[in-house]
Amino acid sequence: MSIDTLHAQVFLLPDLGEGLTEAEIVEWKVAVGDTVEVDHIVVEVETAKAAVEVPVPYAGTVLSLHAEAGTALAVGLPLITVGAAPTPAEPGAADRYREEEQAGSGNVLIGYGTGHAPVSRRRRRGSTPPAAGRTHPSPAAVESGPRTADAAVPTAGPACARLVISPLVRRLARDHGIDVAALAPGRADGIIRRVDVEQAIARERQAGSPVASEPVGTPGEQRIPLRGIRRAVAHKLARSRAEIPDATTWVDVDATALLEAKDVLQAARPQQRIGLLAILTRICVAGLRRFPELNSTVDTAREEIVRFAHVNVGFAAQTDRGLVVPVVRDAHTLTTTQLAAELGRLTALARTGALPPEALTGGTFTLNNYGVFGVDGSTPIINHPEAALLGVGRIIDKPWVVDGALTVRKVTQLSLSFDHRVCDGGVAGGFLRYVADCVERPATLLADL
C-alpha cells in the first residue's frame, strides 16, 4: 500500500487576521505519513498578534510539510500537503512528496473549514508579485480537479525554470548570495530545489568566488533573531516612528481621590475586582467624546483623517510572550463594572496565550499603564495606525501643595503621545487636562454620564 496522490491537496497558510501577512511555524502537530481528518489541528504558528493553532480543511494522509519549525511563512504560501487515504501505488510514490520543496496550491481563508474563496483574491492578499522570470501555479491549474501534486506546477521550460516553492530554498539562496534566476532546475518540473542551490554554492566555492555566509560575531557576542511577537513589535514601532509625526505632552496629577474612588467602587461590588485600569479607561472614553480628534486615524492613501464613531480601547499587557495590546471593543457602551470584567477577561487570555487574533486588532486609542514597572514617566510610541496613546506612571507619595499648604499626596504622571496631523497642541492639551481633572476629582465624570 502507498499514498494515493491523485487527489493530493495543498493547504496554503491562511489569512489569520487583520493586516497579518506572515506567521512563524512554532510546532508541527503532525508528521509526514500521519492521517488527519477535516479540522484536525496540524500546526501552531505565531503571528504578529498571537499564537494560533491551525486546522487543516482536508482529510487524508500528510504527504509533506512545507516549512520547518522556526520558519517565517508568508500568507498564501504552501503549508501542508494532504493526500487521499492509502491506495495501491508504485513503490516510492510517498517518498516523492516528503520533500519540503514539493509544489502545489490550495485556497483557504480565515475560518478554515471547507469554505473557499477565489484564488485571485488570495494571490493579491497573501503573496507578493513574482519576480521577473518566475512563474507560479495558475488558478486554473489549482482548481482543475483530480491531479497529482506535480500537476499543480508548470512543466519544464524557460518560463518555469526559476520557480521556487520552498521558503527554505529561497532563504538558503539568499543567505549565500545565489541568484535563483540563473539556476537550471535539476528536474523536469522546473522547480528549483535545495539540492540545486547547494550545488550552486559548491560551484561558487570551487571557483573561488565569494559566497555570503552567516555573520560571525566576536567571542562572547550573542545574536538573537527577531522572531514572533518581538519581530512584530519591532516592525510596528518602527513604522509608527517613520509614518507618524508624534508629539508628547505630560502632567503630574494628584491621584489620591482616584484611589479613594476605586475603594468605594470595589466595596460596592465586592464580588468583582474593579481596578484602576477600568476607571482610567472610563475616563479616557469620556475624554475622547469631548475631543474626538484623538479617536481617529490618518488614511495616507486618500489624505484624509478618519474619525471613528465607536471607541475601541487597547491596553498594553506584558506577557511571557512579550507585549500585546488586547482591545476592548465598543468601550463607550460599557459601564465601569463591565469595563473591569472585559479587561480582566482579556488579560487572562493574554497571559495564557489564548487571545484570538481579532481581539488584538481594531483599536482606536491605547492606554498604557507602565507604572506597574515602577517608572514615573515615558514618551510612549503611538500604536500605529491610531492617533493617540495615554501613558500612566506609578502612583507614589510626593509632597504636594493643597490649599496653600504642603502635604503628602498620591501622585502620578500622565503622558499623552498624539499624531500632530490630526490635531494641534490645544486639543491634545485639552484632552490631557480633562483626564487629569477626572483623576484628581473623579466626580467630574458625573457631568458626562
Side-chain angles (χ1 to χ4, degrees):
M1 300 291 285
S2 63
I3 299 172
D4 178 9
T5 60
L6 290 178
H7 296 85
Q9 299 185 83
V10 177
F11 178 41
L12 305 183
L13 178 65
D15 181 354
L16 298 170
E18 177 183 332
L20 300 177
T21 59
E22 67 176 14
E24 180 178 324
I25 305 299
V26 176
E27 178 186 5
W28 283 103
K29 306 294 186 180
V30 296
V32 172
D34 288 353
T35 299
V36 295
E37 301 295 333
V38 173
D39 289 336
H40 186 107
I41 299 297
V42 295
V43 67
E44 179 183 354
V45 301
E46 185 173 64
T47 71
K49 305 295 183 180
V52 180
E53 290 185 330
V54 181
V56 68
Y58 311 125
T61 302
V62 177
L63 301 183
S64 63
L65 309 178
H66 292 275
E68 298 176 352
T71 301
L73 193 64
V75 168
L77 287 182
L79 181 66
I80 184 173
T81 300
V82 176
T87 57
E90 71 276 12
D95 295 336
R96 292 201 303 269
Y97 300 97
R98 289 176 180 166
E99 303 176 27
E100 79 276 3
E101 299 95 344
Q102 188 60 51
S105 181
N107 191 39
V108 178
L109 297 177
I110 186 168
Y112 321 111
T114 55
H116 289 69
V119 171
S120 59
R121 182 171 181 266
R122 160 58 57 229
R123 290 300 179 194
R124 288 197 300 273
R125 293 190 61 186
S127 57
T128 56
R134 291 185 184 177
T135 302
H136 289 274
S138 67
V142 170
E143 299 296 328
S144 60
R147 63 197 183 283
T148 64
D150 282 334
V153 299
T155 56
C160 62
R162 281 82 172 168
L163 178 59
V164 182
I165 294 297
S166 171
L168 302 177
V169 174
R170 285 195 296 273
R171 177 178 296 179
L172 180 65
R174 181 175 64 250
D175 290 347
H176 290 82
I178 299 299
D179 181 10
V180 295
L183 298 182
R187 297 189 186 181
D189 57 14
I191 299 173
I192 300 297
R193 288 176 164 78
R194 180 194 296 271
V195 65
D196 300 320
V197 175
E198 290 175 341
Q199 290 173 354
I201 294 171
R203 288 194 298 270
E204 292 286 342
R205 286 173 175 164
Q206 290 174 358
S209 301
V211 178
S213 61
E214 293 296 321
V216 178
T218 58
E221 181 178 83
Q222 183 180 15
R223 291 179 176 266
I224 303 173
L226 276 174
R227 290 178 176 171
I229 284 185
R230 186 73 264 154
R231 180 186 183 195
V233 168
H235 289 175
K236 188 159 191 175
L237 295 182
R239 183 178 182 184
S240 180
R241 276 290 192 235
E243 295 185 11
I244 299 177
D246 62 324
T248 302
T249 183
W250 58 89
V251 63
D252 290 339
V253 296
D254 178 1
T256 306
L258 181 69
L259 294 175
E260 293 171 351
K262 179 187 77 69
D263 293 340
V264 170
L265 288 174
Q266 187 63 77
R269 295 286 192 275
Q271 71 280 8
Q272 180 182 341
R273 183 181 182 278
I274 299 179
L276 284 177
L277 190 61
I279 303 176
L280 289 169
T281 302
R282 164 58 57 218
I283 292 173
C284 287
V285 169
L288 292 172
R289 286 310 195 192
R290 285 196 169 207
F291 300 92
E293 297 91 336
L294 297 173
N295 190 51
S296 64
T297 189
V298 176
D299 186 337
T300 55
R302 301 182 61 173
E303 295 189 336
E304 296 175 342
I305 295 173
V306 182
R307 291 186 186 173
F308 301 109
H310 58 279
V311 180
N312 293 344
V313 178
F315 64 98
Q318 192 68 39
T319 71
D320 292 341
R321 297 177 58 247
L323 182 69
V324 295
V325 184
V327 176
V328 178
R329 297 187 179 277
D330 297 321
H332 60 290
T333 67
L334 304 180
T335 66
T336 303
T337 302
Q338 289 171 332
L339 285 172
E342 184 65 1
L343 288 166
R345 184 185 72 86
L346 291 172
T347 299
L349 290 175
R351 288 174 177 168
T352 59
L355 276 172
E358 59 269 20
L360 293 158
T361 59
T364 63
F365 181 88
T366 295
L367 179 60
N368 185 1
N369 180 19
Y370 44 73
V372 297
F373 302 117
V375 298
D376 296 325
S378 173
T379 54
I381 299 176
I382 296 172
N383 187 20
H384 183 280
E386 298 167 14
L389 180 152
L390 181 74
V392 183
R394 62 177 178 166
I395 300 176
I396 59 173
D397 291 340
K398 281 188 176 183
W400 198 260
V401 176
V402 179
D403 298 329
L406 186 63
T407 185
V408 176
R409 306 289 283 182
K410 301 291 186 181
V411 177
T412 187
Q413 185 181 93
L414 305 177
S415 301
L416 176 71
S417 289
F418 65 98
D419 186 338
H420 228 313
R421 295 173 298 179
V422 305
C423 70
D424 294 323
V427 169
F431 172 85
L432 185 59
R433 189 63 255 171
Y434 175 80
V435 171
D437 290 344
C438 289
V439 169
E440 294 185 334
R441 298 182 297 277
T444 303
L445 278 172
L446 293 175
D448 296 311
L449 297 181

